[in-house]
Short mmCIF file of all heavy atoms in Angstrom, two decimals:
data_model
loop_
_atom_site.label_atom_id
_atom_site.label_comp_id
_atom_site.label_asym_id
_atom_site.label_seq_id
_atom_site.Cartn_x
_atom_site.Cartn_y
_atom_site.Cartn_z
N SER A 1 -0.76 17.96 -10.08
CA SER A 1 -2.22 17.88 -10.15
C SER A 1 -2.64 17.72 -11.60
O SER A 1 -1.95 18.14 -12.53
CB SER A 1 -2.84 19.15 -9.57
OG SER A 1 -2.49 20.28 -10.38
N THR A 2 -3.79 17.08 -11.81
CA THR A 2 -4.28 16.92 -13.17
C THR A 2 -4.63 18.27 -13.80
O THR A 2 -4.55 18.43 -15.01
CB THR A 2 -5.50 15.99 -13.20
OG1 THR A 2 -6.45 16.40 -12.21
CG2 THR A 2 -5.10 14.56 -12.92
N GLU A 3 -4.99 19.25 -12.97
CA GLU A 3 -5.25 20.59 -13.47
C GLU A 3 -3.96 21.19 -14.05
O GLU A 3 -3.97 21.80 -15.12
CB GLU A 3 -5.80 21.47 -12.36
CG GLU A 3 -5.93 22.95 -12.72
CD GLU A 3 -6.82 23.21 -13.93
OE1 GLU A 3 -7.78 22.44 -14.12
OE2 GLU A 3 -6.55 24.17 -14.69
N TYR A 4 -2.86 21.02 -13.35
CA TYR A 4 -1.58 21.51 -13.86
C TYR A 4 -1.23 20.78 -15.16
O TYR A 4 -0.73 21.40 -16.11
CB TYR A 4 -0.49 21.29 -12.82
CG TYR A 4 0.87 21.80 -13.26
CD1 TYR A 4 1.29 23.09 -12.97
CD2 TYR A 4 1.75 20.97 -13.97
CE1 TYR A 4 2.53 23.56 -13.37
CE2 TYR A 4 2.99 21.43 -14.38
CZ TYR A 4 3.38 22.73 -14.08
OH TYR A 4 4.62 23.18 -14.49
N ALA A 5 -1.49 19.47 -15.21
CA ALA A 5 -1.20 18.71 -16.42
C ALA A 5 -1.98 19.26 -17.61
O ALA A 5 -1.44 19.39 -18.73
CB ALA A 5 -1.54 17.24 -16.20
N ARG A 6 -3.24 19.63 -17.39
CA ARG A 6 -4.05 20.19 -18.48
C ARG A 6 -3.49 21.53 -18.94
O ARG A 6 -3.43 21.81 -20.13
CB ARG A 6 -5.51 20.35 -18.03
CG ARG A 6 -6.33 19.09 -18.16
CD ARG A 6 -7.81 19.38 -18.04
NE ARG A 6 -8.14 19.95 -16.73
CZ ARG A 6 -8.43 19.22 -15.66
NH1 ARG A 6 -8.40 17.89 -15.74
NH2 ARG A 6 -8.72 19.78 -14.51
N ARG A 7 -3.06 22.36 -17.97
CA ARG A 7 -2.46 23.64 -18.35
C ARG A 7 -1.18 23.45 -19.15
O ARG A 7 -0.83 24.27 -19.99
CB ARG A 7 -2.18 24.49 -17.10
CG ARG A 7 -3.42 24.90 -16.33
CD ARG A 7 -3.16 26.13 -15.46
NE ARG A 7 -2.02 25.98 -14.58
CZ ARG A 7 -2.07 25.50 -13.33
NH1 ARG A 7 -3.25 25.09 -12.84
NH2 ARG A 7 -0.99 25.44 -12.58
N LEU A 8 -0.52 22.34 -18.89
CA LEU A 8 0.70 22.02 -19.62
C LEU A 8 0.39 21.43 -21.00
O LEU A 8 1.29 21.26 -21.81
CB LEU A 8 1.54 21.04 -18.80
CG LEU A 8 3.03 20.91 -19.11
CD1 LEU A 8 3.76 22.21 -18.82
CD2 LEU A 8 3.64 19.77 -18.31
N GLY A 9 -0.88 21.13 -21.23
CA GLY A 9 -1.29 20.56 -22.52
C GLY A 9 -1.30 19.05 -22.55
O GLY A 9 -1.41 18.45 -23.62
N VAL A 10 -1.19 18.40 -21.38
CA VAL A 10 -1.23 16.94 -21.30
C VAL A 10 -2.66 16.52 -20.99
O VAL A 10 -3.12 16.64 -19.85
CB VAL A 10 -0.26 16.41 -20.23
CG1 VAL A 10 -0.27 14.89 -20.21
CG2 VAL A 10 1.14 16.94 -20.46
N GLU A 11 -3.36 16.04 -21.99
CA GLU A 11 -4.78 15.74 -21.83
C GLU A 11 -5.04 14.34 -21.26
O GLU A 11 -6.05 14.10 -20.63
CB GLU A 11 -5.49 15.88 -23.18
CG GLU A 11 -5.48 17.30 -23.73
CD GLU A 11 -6.23 18.27 -22.83
OE1 GLU A 11 -7.16 17.84 -22.12
OE2 GLU A 11 -5.85 19.46 -22.80
N ARG A 12 -4.12 13.41 -21.52
CA ARG A 12 -4.35 12.03 -21.07
C ARG A 12 -3.07 11.48 -20.42
O ARG A 12 -2.40 10.62 -20.96
CB ARG A 12 -4.75 11.17 -22.27
CG ARG A 12 -5.34 9.82 -21.90
CD ARG A 12 -6.04 9.21 -23.10
NE ARG A 12 -6.48 7.85 -22.82
CZ ARG A 12 -5.79 6.76 -23.15
NH1 ARG A 12 -4.64 6.87 -23.78
NH2 ARG A 12 -6.25 5.56 -22.86
N PRO A 13 -2.74 12.01 -19.25
CA PRO A 13 -1.50 11.58 -18.59
C PRO A 13 -1.67 10.22 -17.92
O PRO A 13 -2.79 9.75 -17.67
CB PRO A 13 -1.28 12.67 -17.55
CG PRO A 13 -2.66 13.09 -17.17
CD PRO A 13 -3.46 13.02 -18.45
N VAL A 14 -0.55 9.60 -17.63
CA VAL A 14 -0.57 8.46 -16.72
C VAL A 14 -0.99 8.97 -15.35
O VAL A 14 -0.51 10.01 -14.89
CB VAL A 14 0.82 7.80 -16.66
CG1 VAL A 14 0.86 6.73 -15.57
CG2 VAL A 14 1.19 7.21 -18.01
N ARG A 15 -1.89 8.26 -14.71
CA ARG A 15 -2.42 8.69 -13.42
C ARG A 15 -2.06 7.71 -12.32
O ARG A 15 -1.98 6.50 -12.55
CB ARG A 15 -3.95 8.82 -13.49
CG ARG A 15 -4.47 9.77 -14.54
CD ARG A 15 -5.98 9.63 -14.68
NE ARG A 15 -6.66 9.99 -13.45
CZ ARG A 15 -7.24 11.19 -13.25
NH1 ARG A 15 -7.20 12.11 -14.19
NH2 ARG A 15 -7.84 11.45 -12.12
N ILE A 16 -1.84 8.25 -11.13
CA ILE A 16 -1.67 7.40 -9.94
C ILE A 16 -3.04 7.15 -9.36
O ILE A 16 -3.69 8.06 -8.83
CB ILE A 16 -0.75 8.08 -8.91
CG1 ILE A 16 0.64 8.32 -9.49
CG2 ILE A 16 -0.66 7.21 -7.65
CD1 ILE A 16 1.56 9.09 -8.57
N ASP A 17 -3.49 5.91 -9.44
CA ASP A 17 -4.82 5.57 -8.93
C ASP A 17 -4.79 5.09 -7.48
O ASP A 17 -5.81 5.16 -6.80
CB ASP A 17 -5.44 4.48 -9.81
CG ASP A 17 -5.80 4.98 -11.19
OD1 ASP A 17 -6.14 6.16 -11.32
OD2 ASP A 17 -5.74 4.18 -12.14
N ALA A 18 -3.66 4.60 -7.03
CA ALA A 18 -3.58 4.11 -5.66
C ALA A 18 -2.14 3.96 -5.24
O ALA A 18 -1.27 3.64 -6.07
CB ALA A 18 -4.29 2.76 -5.52
N ILE A 19 -1.88 4.21 -3.97
CA ILE A 19 -0.61 3.86 -3.33
C ILE A 19 -0.95 3.22 -1.99
O ILE A 19 -1.58 3.85 -1.14
CB ILE A 19 0.32 5.06 -3.13
CG1 ILE A 19 0.65 5.74 -4.46
CG2 ILE A 19 1.60 4.62 -2.42
CD1 ILE A 19 1.54 6.96 -4.32
N SER A 20 -0.53 1.99 -1.82
CA SER A 20 -0.78 1.27 -0.57
C SER A 20 0.52 1.15 0.22
O SER A 20 1.53 0.72 -0.32
CB SER A 20 -1.34 -0.12 -0.87
OG SER A 20 -1.28 -0.96 0.28
N THR A 21 0.47 1.54 1.48
CA THR A 21 1.62 1.36 2.38
C THR A 21 1.14 0.78 3.71
O THR A 21 1.60 1.17 4.78
CB THR A 21 2.37 2.68 2.62
OG1 THR A 21 1.46 3.66 3.16
CG2 THR A 21 2.97 3.23 1.33
N VAL A 22 0.20 -0.15 3.65
CA VAL A 22 -0.40 -0.70 4.86
C VAL A 22 0.61 -1.54 5.64
O VAL A 22 1.60 -2.04 5.08
CB VAL A 22 -1.65 -1.54 4.53
CG1 VAL A 22 -2.72 -0.69 3.88
CG2 VAL A 22 -1.30 -2.74 3.65
N THR A 23 0.32 -1.71 6.92
CA THR A 23 1.15 -2.53 7.80
C THR A 23 0.47 -3.87 8.04
O THR A 23 -0.70 -4.06 7.69
CB THR A 23 1.36 -1.83 9.15
OG1 THR A 23 0.08 -1.54 9.73
CG2 THR A 23 2.15 -0.54 8.97
N PRO A 24 1.17 -4.85 8.63
CA PRO A 24 0.53 -6.13 8.93
C PRO A 24 -0.60 -5.98 9.94
O PRO A 24 -0.67 -4.99 10.68
CB PRO A 24 1.68 -6.96 9.53
CG PRO A 24 2.94 -6.30 9.07
CD PRO A 24 2.61 -4.85 8.96
N THR A 25 -1.48 -6.96 9.96
CA THR A 25 -2.54 -7.06 10.97
C THR A 25 -2.17 -8.18 11.94
O THR A 25 -1.78 -9.27 11.51
CB THR A 25 -3.89 -7.37 10.30
OG1 THR A 25 -4.23 -6.30 9.42
CG2 THR A 25 -4.98 -7.54 11.35
N PHE A 26 -2.26 -7.90 13.22
CA PHE A 26 -1.94 -8.91 14.23
C PHE A 26 -2.97 -10.05 14.19
O PHE A 26 -4.16 -9.79 14.09
CB PHE A 26 -1.92 -8.27 15.62
CG PHE A 26 -1.54 -9.22 16.72
CD1 PHE A 26 -0.22 -9.46 17.03
CD2 PHE A 26 -2.53 -9.90 17.43
CE1 PHE A 26 0.13 -10.34 18.03
CE2 PHE A 26 -2.20 -10.79 18.43
CZ PHE A 26 -0.86 -11.01 18.74
N PRO A 27 -2.52 -11.30 14.33
CA PRO A 27 -1.13 -11.75 14.41
C PRO A 27 -0.54 -11.98 13.01
O PRO A 27 -1.18 -12.57 12.15
CB PRO A 27 -1.26 -13.07 15.16
CG PRO A 27 -2.62 -13.59 14.77
CD PRO A 27 -3.50 -12.38 14.59
N ASN A 28 0.69 -11.51 12.84
CA ASN A 28 1.40 -11.71 11.57
C ASN A 28 2.13 -13.04 11.66
O ASN A 28 3.17 -13.15 12.31
CB ASN A 28 2.38 -10.56 11.35
CG ASN A 28 3.06 -10.62 9.99
OD1 ASN A 28 2.64 -11.37 9.12
ND2 ASN A 28 4.11 -9.84 9.82
N THR A 29 1.58 -14.06 11.02
CA THR A 29 2.05 -15.43 11.22
C THR A 29 3.03 -15.91 10.15
O THR A 29 3.44 -17.07 10.17
CB THR A 29 0.86 -16.40 11.27
OG1 THR A 29 0.13 -16.31 10.04
CG2 THR A 29 -0.06 -16.07 12.43
N VAL A 30 3.40 -15.04 9.22
CA VAL A 30 4.39 -15.38 8.20
C VAL A 30 5.68 -14.64 8.53
O VAL A 30 5.67 -13.43 8.74
CB VAL A 30 3.91 -15.01 6.79
CG1 VAL A 30 4.98 -15.32 5.74
CG2 VAL A 30 2.61 -15.74 6.45
N LEU A 31 6.78 -15.35 8.60
CA LEU A 31 8.05 -14.75 8.98
C LEU A 31 8.48 -13.71 7.95
O LEU A 31 8.54 -13.98 6.76
CB LEU A 31 9.13 -15.82 9.09
CG LEU A 31 10.50 -15.34 9.59
CD1 LEU A 31 10.41 -14.87 11.04
CD2 LEU A 31 11.54 -16.45 9.45
N ASP A 32 8.77 -12.51 8.42
CA ASP A 32 9.24 -11.43 7.56
C ASP A 32 10.62 -10.99 8.01
O ASP A 32 10.88 -10.82 9.21
CB ASP A 32 8.29 -10.21 7.64
CG ASP A 32 7.00 -10.44 6.87
OD1 ASP A 32 7.03 -11.15 5.86
OD2 ASP A 32 5.96 -9.91 7.31
N MET A 33 11.51 -10.80 7.06
CA MET A 33 12.83 -10.24 7.35
C MET A 33 12.67 -8.84 7.95
O MET A 33 11.84 -8.09 7.46
CB MET A 33 13.59 -10.17 6.02
CG MET A 33 15.03 -9.75 6.12
SD MET A 33 15.88 -9.95 4.53
CE MET A 33 15.13 -8.60 3.58
N PRO A 34 13.39 -8.50 9.02
CA PRO A 34 14.52 -9.17 9.66
C PRO A 34 14.15 -9.93 10.93
O PRO A 34 15.04 -10.23 11.74
CB PRO A 34 15.43 -7.99 10.00
CG PRO A 34 14.46 -6.94 10.44
CD PRO A 34 13.25 -7.12 9.54
N ASN A 35 12.88 -10.19 11.14
CA ASN A 35 12.47 -10.83 12.39
C ASN A 35 12.92 -12.28 12.43
O ASN A 35 13.16 -12.92 11.40
CB ASN A 35 10.94 -10.75 12.53
CG ASN A 35 10.45 -9.32 12.63
OD1 ASN A 35 11.05 -8.50 13.32
ND2 ASN A 35 9.37 -9.00 11.92
N ILE A 36 13.03 -12.83 13.63
CA ILE A 36 13.43 -14.21 13.79
C ILE A 36 12.33 -15.04 14.44
O ILE A 36 12.55 -16.16 14.88
CB ILE A 36 14.75 -14.32 14.60
CG1 ILE A 36 14.65 -13.63 15.94
CG2 ILE A 36 15.91 -13.74 13.79
CD1 ILE A 36 15.91 -13.73 16.80
N SER A 37 11.12 -14.48 14.50
CA SER A 37 9.95 -15.21 14.99
C SER A 37 8.70 -14.54 14.44
O SER A 37 8.77 -13.44 13.89
CB SER A 37 9.91 -15.24 16.52
OG SER A 37 9.73 -13.93 17.04
N THR A 38 7.57 -15.21 14.59
CA THR A 38 6.29 -14.66 14.14
C THR A 38 5.39 -14.43 15.35
O THR A 38 5.70 -14.85 16.47
CB THR A 38 5.58 -15.61 13.17
OG1 THR A 38 5.23 -16.82 13.87
CG2 THR A 38 6.46 -15.95 11.98
N ASP A 39 4.25 -13.78 15.12
CA ASP A 39 3.23 -13.67 16.17
C ASP A 39 2.53 -15.01 16.34
O ASP A 39 2.35 -15.77 15.37
CB ASP A 39 2.19 -12.61 15.79
CG ASP A 39 2.78 -11.23 15.64
OD1 ASP A 39 3.74 -10.92 16.36
OD2 ASP A 39 2.26 -10.45 14.80
N ALA A 40 2.09 -15.30 17.55
CA ALA A 40 1.33 -16.52 17.82
C ALA A 40 -0.14 -16.29 17.48
O ALA A 40 -0.68 -15.20 17.66
CB ALA A 40 1.47 -16.92 19.28
N SER A 41 -0.80 -17.32 16.97
CA SER A 41 -2.22 -17.22 16.64
C SER A 41 -3.07 -18.11 17.54
O SER A 41 -4.17 -18.51 17.16
CB SER A 41 -2.44 -17.60 15.17
OG SER A 41 -1.97 -18.92 14.92
N THR A 42 -2.59 -18.41 18.73
CA THR A 42 -3.34 -19.28 19.63
C THR A 42 -4.53 -18.55 20.26
O THR A 42 -5.62 -19.12 20.41
CB THR A 42 -2.43 -19.81 20.75
OG1 THR A 42 -1.73 -18.70 21.33
CG2 THR A 42 -1.41 -20.79 20.18
N ALA A 43 -4.35 -17.28 20.64
CA ALA A 43 -5.42 -16.53 21.28
C ALA A 43 -6.24 -15.73 20.29
O ALA A 43 -7.44 -15.52 20.48
CB ALA A 43 -4.84 -15.59 22.35
N VAL A 44 -5.60 -15.26 19.23
CA VAL A 44 -6.27 -14.47 18.20
C VAL A 44 -6.03 -15.14 16.85
O VAL A 44 -4.90 -15.47 16.51
CB VAL A 44 -5.71 -13.02 18.16
CG1 VAL A 44 -6.40 -12.21 17.06
CG2 VAL A 44 -5.88 -12.34 19.51
N ALA A 45 -7.10 -15.36 16.11
CA ALA A 45 -6.98 -16.05 14.83
C ALA A 45 -6.19 -15.20 13.83
O ALA A 45 -6.24 -13.97 13.87
CB ALA A 45 -8.37 -16.35 14.26
N ALA A 46 -5.47 -15.88 12.96
CA ALA A 46 -4.71 -15.18 11.92
C ALA A 46 -5.67 -14.43 11.01
O ALA A 46 -6.79 -14.87 10.76
CB ALA A 46 -3.89 -16.18 11.11
N PRO A 47 -5.27 -13.25 10.51
CA PRO A 47 -6.15 -12.47 9.63
C PRO A 47 -6.42 -13.21 8.32
O PRO A 47 -5.68 -14.12 7.93
CB PRO A 47 -5.37 -11.18 9.40
CG PRO A 47 -3.95 -11.54 9.66
CD PRO A 47 -3.97 -12.59 10.71
N GLU A 48 -7.47 -12.78 7.65
CA GLU A 48 -7.85 -13.43 6.40
C GLU A 48 -6.77 -13.26 5.33
O GLU A 48 -6.51 -14.16 4.54
CB GLU A 48 -9.17 -12.82 5.89
CG GLU A 48 -9.72 -13.49 4.65
CD GLU A 48 -11.07 -12.93 4.27
OE1 GLU A 48 -11.80 -12.46 5.15
OE2 GLU A 48 -11.41 -12.97 3.06
#
């Protein structure tokens, strides 16, 4: 915690501002390892 960092005397530490671990949005139309096919976008448009 930044509070612990201050108690340690670190006034300007490197900070974690974001961590993203999002998953694909259907339909995932770009082939990703280890899959051997993609989702179809005929019924649902590909995400932005």
Side-chain angles (χ1 to χ4, degrees):
S1 65
T2 49
E3 172 58 32
Y4 181 91
R6 277 194 298 272
R7 296 202 307 269
L8 200 64
V10 183
E11 296 297 332
R12 194 165 173 264
V14 172
R15 302 170 63 100
I16 299 175
D17 291 329
I19 300 179
S20 166
T21 58
V22 298
T23 56
T25 298
F26 182 85
N28 186 13
T29 59
V30 178
L31 185 66
D32 285 328
M33 186 171 72
N35 297 318
I36 55 178
S37 65
T38 65
D39 298 328
S41 58
T42 50
V44 179
E48 185 175 332

